[in-house]
Amino acid sequence: MDRCNRLVDVGRRQFLRGSAFAAATAVALPTMPAKAAPSLALVEYPSNKLANVANLKPNEPFDVTYPDGDAPGVLLKLGTKVEGGAGPDGDIVGFSTICPHKGFPLNFNADDRTLNCPGHYSRFDCEAGGQQIWGQSTANLPQYALRVDDKGDIYAEGLDELLYGRLSNVL
Amino acid sequence: MAYKRHVDRLPIIPADAKKHNVTCHYCIVGCGYHAYTWPVNKQGGTEAAANAFGVNLAEQQPAETAAWYAPSMYNIVKQDGKDVHIVIKPDADCEVNSGLGSVRGARMGELRFSTARGSQLQRLTDPMVWRYGQMQPTSWDDALDLVARVTAAVIKEQGEDGLFVSVFDHGGSAGGYENTWGTGKFYFGSMKVKNIRIHNRPAYNSEVHATRDMGVGELNNCYEDAELADTLVSVGNNPLETQTNYFLNHWVPNLRGTSIQKKQEQLPDEPHANGRIIFVDPRRTVSVNAAEAETGKDNVMHLAINSGTDMVLFNAWLTEIADKGWVDKAFIDASTKDFDKALAANRTTVEQAAEITGLTVEQIRQSAAWIAEPKEGKRRRTMFAYEKGLIWGNDNYRTNAALVNVALATGNVGREGGGCVRMGGHQEGYVRPSDAHVGRPAAYVDKLLIEGKGGVHHIWACDHYKTTLNAHQFNMVYKKRTDIVKDAMNAVPYGDGASMVKAITDAIHAGGLFSVDVDIIPSKIGAASHVWLPAAESGEMNLTSMNGERRMRLVERYMDPPGNAKPDCLIAAGLAQHMEKVLREMGDNAYADQFKGYDWKTEEDAFMDGYNKNAGGGEHVTYERLRAMGNNGFQEPAIGFEDGKIVGTKRLYTDGKFGTKDGKATFMEAQWRGLQAPGKEEQKKNNKYLINNGRANQVWQNAFLDQESEFVMDRWPFPFIEMSPDDMTELGVKNGDLVEVFNESGSTQAMVYPTPTARKGETFMLFGFPTGVQGNVINAGTNELILPNYKQTWANIRKISDAPEGVRHLSFKSQEYMAG
């Protein structure tokens, strides 16, 4: 913050010097440029309730959408704790189910807990943060930031990769 | 956790962004892309009129949309000295890829040099020389002067044979017609250098001598033939991973049956069905799995032969096809010679072949029928595609010949739905003065360097440390020899040029080697070098290449090279000019005159001096014409220029005239002689595991750029070694454990990847990877033409450690696609 304040001060001094010069020569100050609309550095993700813990059965995909109805995804209760897993057992994860390669819908394979793309055979590991096991996507699978409250309601509150087919995750 | 970029939006390409033609500079397929650039302080908008796609980007776009790009396609680069946004995205209108991007090509954007975003800062920006005990920046003039003085001094003493050269011969990244010409003119025009080798083999020779000797150039069909064939034969070839979009965009439609309409339109007088496919490969690959998923197991044969026995299978095919009367007699009579001779010499019964290859008699008979049994009285159309499993495999010359024999016998060269083709690694882009003086067999350059020969070594985009055979020994000797020179250089003040050259040449007399590395990054072998010369990549210069169906395109320069880096052709020109100057100073005007003719200002000048004047049909081809031909280009050779377009050649040999003196393709004798390369039998006897090796989908070449891709290195921090669960149990290793792979030739390391489809005792290791070099355990044996055999390698394996921390988060699940 100190550094920022100093930069502001430098700017103010420059401005004053300029205006002093302007006053001395009795020339009117130029009009101020149009003000840019303020915008935030991060995309503002909605906090959407997707399900309750009670809705999930181990290793059965629970279809959801996030951050809006055009973005299909899935919640999974893996049955074993994983890094990044939410809920009382640390085993709930959520992923986009649109392949980040060419936008085909992914299919869940319960036998090895993977999401598979019928378009070009890419595979993503639901137990390893959506890591692409093999495939043509240049990104691992977008995963939801999940929060589970006291009542067991599961909220998605963010994504960690760009969704296929949109240049902003929140449209 | 898996690597994530945490990018949740990207700048939108504005409607007025500049758009450049780009051919992916990695693999031979050469997918079409466009590079969009626009000023760094501007952006497009979501409204249709405000973006380059003319669509409303505030809506979710559908699958396969052209109006989207991944974070991996985006960067900020310098263009004419100014920061610009760049997006390099696949071109939906390119016939090669129809908008598909592979996991390699679709990361071109992210792997550009960017000071703004900190990507690929490993790129060399200045010439560097060994000074005060480390590599230090200097000027082009200074670096080239030192190289020319040492090179001239060595040549004066030892002749041109004292100059050793390792140089790319390909297209795309680190190659292309401009750069093969620049380097070729220097080493084969101004000089007649004999001790020269290519980036992926230890001599200057063809990978596919045999097919060329038979009069059949190895890139003889077009990609559409894969859509038209009745049967595809894939030998030692894993196209889904290594020619991805050729497979996805041209093989899969045939397997799926979606190219049937095209078959009916183009070939109306014969029955058509979904394509069948035969894979010849000891390993089950993801390509086999994908083919099964598309066309059903009934239409896929995976012939998992004993490693290195391909030739026996091909000879059995030839015998069976001839005995059944399925040969194309009219074609054989009109366009070939020596069929009967080769058939007699190569005669192999299906029973003999079954014994040697490990296949069943039925598998061999059935595959022969799929290749050649007529379909309702019509000739079956079969396309043969082979790659490094054959090329870098046992007795490669004869094996190559044995396969081409089958293609010729069945009339499958120069016809729709046919072809007998090398699939290829890099793109092509070769135009050089004659290499006839190199001789045959060509010099085994690595061996000569190990033996202490040569005084100076020029390296152009080659990294022997990672990609040669017998790499362990090569690296040890190379380091020792170049260290002699480094120590000598350390003893002299750098500014005293005359003393420096004397110190270097004295060190060379003492067994040292002066090493000059022209590359885009500090390579592994470059760590031993005394001079680094920074090269530009495709897109940082205009660059022409051709793909696996001889499709030539121009990549338009879309960004500046890093710092003072230059196109290789202009580096070669600078070197030639300094050679001329130094030789004149030495009083050798006659020799100095040989280094004239390099007054190129741009890469286009090198193109016009080289391709335009020297390539077959080159006179029809200019940059301006190529620019107008866009990402579809034309197929070489050019045969004219009509209506503003270059006229190309879709397939070779359609007239039945081949590349021999009498125009007849020649059948070749190819008799089985077991494991041919010296040392292989012994290695097999002494070591327990086959260390088959090759590429991985995510990694381009030896990972020279990917080693700075977090996405790739997160997946493969170490080279994988695929291993059967039985072998893992026997070795006491778990997923991701580090193991040592070792034999009499050397040792290396890899990370265990469980692979239930792997046969016991047969592993597969990622080749050419920086954190574990498979070449360390490949012995020095080659065939009589100095072609290496990388694939048939045996070694022992022992555990080094449990999976290290950087490996524990990895997925170790099967790489095979599974329907939900």
Side-chain angles (χ1 to χ4, degrees), chain B residues 48-171:
Chain B
N51 63 66
F53 310 117
V55 303
N56 177 9
L57 293 177
E59 293 173 357
Q60 170 75 34
Q61 303 301 310
E64 299 189 287
T65 180
W68 185 74
Y69 37 97
S72 63
M73 301 176 194
Y74 169 77
N75 214 332
I76 294 175
V77 299
K78 285 264 192 285
Q79 186 183 73
D80 301 324
K82 293 187 181 122
D83 279 336
V84 293
H85 297 278
I86 188 166
V87 170
I88 308 178
K89 62 184 289 297
D91 176 4
D93 296 323
C94 177
E95 290 169 29
V96 174
N97 55 312
S98 305
L100 287 171
S102 76
V103 67
R104 300 169 301 280
R107 290 187 290 108
M108 274 188 288
E110 189 172 68
L111 296 187
R112 297 305 82 201
F113 175 74
S114 172
T115 49
R117 295 179 84 233
S119 58
Q120 292 297 324
L121 296 182
Q122 62 169 339
R123 290 289 305 275
L124 294 173
T125 56
D126 293 283
M128 307 278 279
V129 293
W130 186 258
R131 200 170 67 209
Y132 320 131
Q134 58 183 303
M135 296 308 281
Q136 308 269 14
T138 191
S139 67
W140 274 106
D141 266 347
D142 180 60
L144 291 175
D145 184 71
L146 178 63
V147 174
R149 285 185 193 282
V150 175
T151 303
V154 167
I155 290 174
K156 282 289 168 193
E157 280 190 24
Q158 302 187 26
E160 289 176 350
D161 288 354
L163 168 58
F164 277 58
V165 180
S166 300
V167 63
F168 55 80
D169 73 334
H170 52 73

Side-chain angles (χ1 to χ4, degrees), chain B residues 551-729:
Chain B
R551 191 182 291 272
M552 182 174 182
R553 275 81 51 90
L554 170 69
V555 176
E556 296 178 289
R557 176 178 157 144
Y558 52 73
M559 65 179 281
D560 302 344
N564 296 303
K566 289 183 185 182
D568 296 83
C569 54
L570 299 184
I571 297 173
L575 201 45
Q577 286 156 351
H578 277 81
M579 284 293 287
E580 184 191 350
K581 177 168 156 262
V582 167
L583 289 164
R584 260 186 232 298
E585 276 178 31
M586 290 170 131
D588 191 345
N589 281 321
Y591 195 33
D593 285 345
Q594 289 178 211
F595 293 89
K596 284 178 160 175
Y598 292 88
D599 48 349
W600 308 325
K601 296 280 181 289
T602 65
E603 57 271 26
E604 187 171 8
D605 294 340
F607 179 83
M608 293 308 285
D609 188 49
Y611 188 90
N612 182 269
K613 288 196 182 65
N614 295 277
E619 70 273 21
H620 304 298
V621 186
T622 64
Y623 270 19
E624 190 190 353
R625 290 176 181 184
L626 281 172
R627 231 173 255 129
M629 300 295 284
N631 282 335
N632 285 323
F634 76 97
Q635 286 173 272
E636 294 187 62
I639 54 169
F641 183 70
E642 288 167 19
D643 305 326
K645 288 186 172 159
I646 301 167
V647 183
T649 309
K650 191 168 179 179
R651 293 180 184 86
L652 302 185
Y653 313 124
T654 50
D655 59 357
K657 299 270 185 297
F658 289 87
T660 50
K661 274 184 190 152
D662 59 6
K664 291 194 188 281
T666 315
F667 284 89
M668 194 178 272
E669 293 181 29
Q671 283 151 339
W672 174 245
R673 47 181 178 173
L675 277 176
Q676 170 269 330
K680 291 288 181 191
E681 281 289 4
E682 200 185 357
Q683 193 187 57
K684 184 179 182 183
K685 211 176 299 160
N686 293 341
N687 295 281
K688 193 169 174 187
Y689 299 96
L690 175 72
I691 315 293
N692 191 359
N693 54 88
R695 302 294 180 187
N697 187 52
Q698 291 93 334
V699 184
W700 169 243
Q701 228 251 352
N702 64 36
F704 57 92
L705 292 182
D706 287 331
Q707 65 189 349
E708 288 212 346
S709 160
E710 288 179 82
F711 175 72
V712 172
M713 296 310 285
D714 175 69
R715 181 71 183 114
W716 303 124
F718 298 95
F720 58 76
I721 185 162
E722 296 177 359
M723 203 181 274
S724 84
D726 285 350
D727 286 336
M728 286 175 63
T729 306

Side-chain angles (χ1 to χ4, degrees), chain B residues 32 57 71 202 269 332 407 410 419 460 472 486 493 574 636 645 715 720 737-738 809 818:
Chain B
L57 293 177
D269 302 323
I332 291 171
T410 53
W460 299 75
H472 207 147
K486 283 183 177 172
E636 294 187 62
K645 288 186 172 159
R715 181 71 183 114
F720 58 76
D737 285 359
L738 288 184
H809 70 289
M818 293 175 202

Side-chain angles (χ1 to χ4, degrees), chain B residues 737-751:
Chain B
D737 285 359
L738 288 184
V739 291
E740 183 170 57
V741 180
F742 64 102
N743 61 16
E744 302 76 6
S745 296
S747 56
T748 186
Q749 67 173 5
M751 171 184 85

Side-chain angles (χ1 to χ4, degrees), chain B residues 341-561:
Chain B
K341 205 165 116 191
L343 180 63
N346 300 355
R347 180 161 281 282
T348 304
T349 66
V350 288
E351 290 79 13
Q352 287 168 329
E355 174 75 28
I356 296 170
T357 60
L359 301 173
T360 65
V361 166
E362 184 46 37
Q363 281 177 305
I364 299 170
R365 287 217 168 102
Q366 192 188 338
S367 53
W370 280 19
I371 289 168
E373 186 176 24
K375 45 173 191 178
E376 295 173 29
K378 299 283 184 178
R379 189 182 66 86
R380 189 168 291 276
R381 297 175 186 275
T382 299
M383 183 187 125
F384 299 84
Y386 57 92
E387 193 32 38
K388 295 294 191 279
L390 183 158
I391 292 166
W392 296 153
N394 179 39
D395 217 354
N396 23 33
Y397 181 88
R398 292 179 181 207
T399 304
N400 183 205
L403 185 63
V404 180
N405 283 342
V406 179
L408 287 172
T410 53
N412 276 307
V413 184
R415 305 259 182 83
E416 295 93 336
C420 184
V421 295
R422 178 168 71 80
M423 286 290 277
H426 289 85
Q427 280 180 76
E428 300 299 318
Y430 188 94
V431 58
R432 278 182 178 149
S434 168
D435 62 354
H437 65 276
V438 171
R440 185 168 160 164
Y444 191 164
V445 166
D446 287 15
K447 185 162 171 281
L448 294 172
L449 283 170
I450 288 170
E451 287 168 358
K453 304 286 193 317
V456 58
H457 186 201
H458 295 179
I459 308 161
W460 299 75
C462 297
D463 200 346
H464 308 47
Y465 276 32
K466 280 191 282 186
T467 57
T468 198
L469 69 171
N470 196 22
H472 207 147
Q473 204 200 350
F474 180 89
N475 301 353
M476 286 193 294
V477 174
Y478 199 84
K479 181 177 183 301
K480 196 180 266 178
R481 291 191 65 192
T482 50
D483 275 349
I484 295 174
V485 174
K486 283 183 177 172
D487 292 345
M489 291 175 80
N490 288 343
V492 183
Y494 185 81
D496 182 353
S499 300
M500 181 57 76
V501 173
K502 183 169 183 312
I504 293 168
T505 48
D506 286 350
I508 291 169
H509 295 151
L513 183 72
F514 184 71
S515 172
V516 181
D517 192 19
V518 189
D519 210 319
I520 61 169
I521 57 157
S523 66
K524 295 282 182 195
I525 194 172
S529 296
H530 310 96
V531 178
W532 295 341
L533 302 176
E537 268 206 301
S538 181
E540 296 161 2
M541 62 177 288
N542 296 288
L543 191 77
T544 55
S545 305
M546 76 170 192
N547 79 348
E549 53 176 346
R550 309 171 320 285
R551 191 182 291 272
M552 182 174 182
R553 275 81 51 90
L554 170 69
V555 176
E556 296 178 289
R557 176 178 157 144
Y558 52 73
M559 65 179 281
D560 302 344

